[in-house]
Amino acid sequence: MFAKENRYLTSRIDQRIPQELQLQIWACIDTRLMLTKGKIDYLQVFTLEKVGDSMLAIHHEQERPKMTNIYYINYRQEYKDILQEKIFVIDDGDHSTMLFAYEY
């Protein structure tokens, strides 16, 4: 699941999410894969929250097994318009796709 060579994103993600944040989301999944020895849910959910003036919290959740992690990175003004968005990363067994929840 979530093989690095089969990762895709929708055009809306590509247009609205800066590349460095896309890479950070994939890195969150890679960390979870490492920590759980590859046993993660097919659906990974991300929400973003501004913390203070300079930090962005990336909330990373899954349902089965229930797991939540929060990662912190430097906040950039260009993140302002995506703070209320929910991002899904779904693995169907053949490839993984990053998309906004409303695109599902």
Side-chain angles (χ1 to χ4, degrees):
M1 288 192 108
F2 298 98
K4 290 183 181 185
E5 60 275 1
N6 295 320
R7 292 181 172 178
Y8 302 93
L9 43 95
T10 64
S11 60
R12 288 183 185 170
I13 289 285
D14 193 37
Q15 292 167 0
R16 295 194 56 215
I17 305 290
Q19 186 176 18
E20 63 276 356
L21 188 52
Q22 294 172 25
L23 293 173
Q24 184 63 48
I25 290 170
W26 289 119
C28 292
I29 291 172
D30 291 337
T31 298
R32 182 164 288 171
L33 282 166
M34 182 186 65
L35 294 174
T36 63
K37 297 182 171 103
K39 297 182 183 192
I40 66 174
D41 197 1
Y42 77 97
L43 174 63
Q44 302 295 303
V45 180
F46 294 87
T47 53
L48 308 173
E49 174 189 16
K50 186 177 179 186
V51 179
D53 291 332
S54 62
M55 298 300 293
L56 179 74
I58 302 171
H59 296 262
H60 179 192
E61 302 175 57
Q62 71 177 34
E63 288 188 10
R64 293 187 183 152
K66 186 77 170 162
M67 196 177 301
T68 301
N69 295 90
I70 302 173
Y71 301 91
Y72 296 93
I73 62 172
N74 290 328
Y75 178 79
R76 294 171 48 175
Q77 190 61 29
E78 62 193 273
Y79 300 155
K80 181 181 83 165
D81 294 334
I82 56 173
L83 289 176
Q84 302 305 317
E85 300 288 0
K86 185 176 283 193
I87 300 166
F88 289 169
V89 181
I90 300 172
D91 188 286
D92 68 4
D94 291 325
H95 63 280
S96 306
T97 305
M98 185 183 304
L99 64 154
F100 287 111
Y102 63 83
E103 295 181 285
Y104 184 66

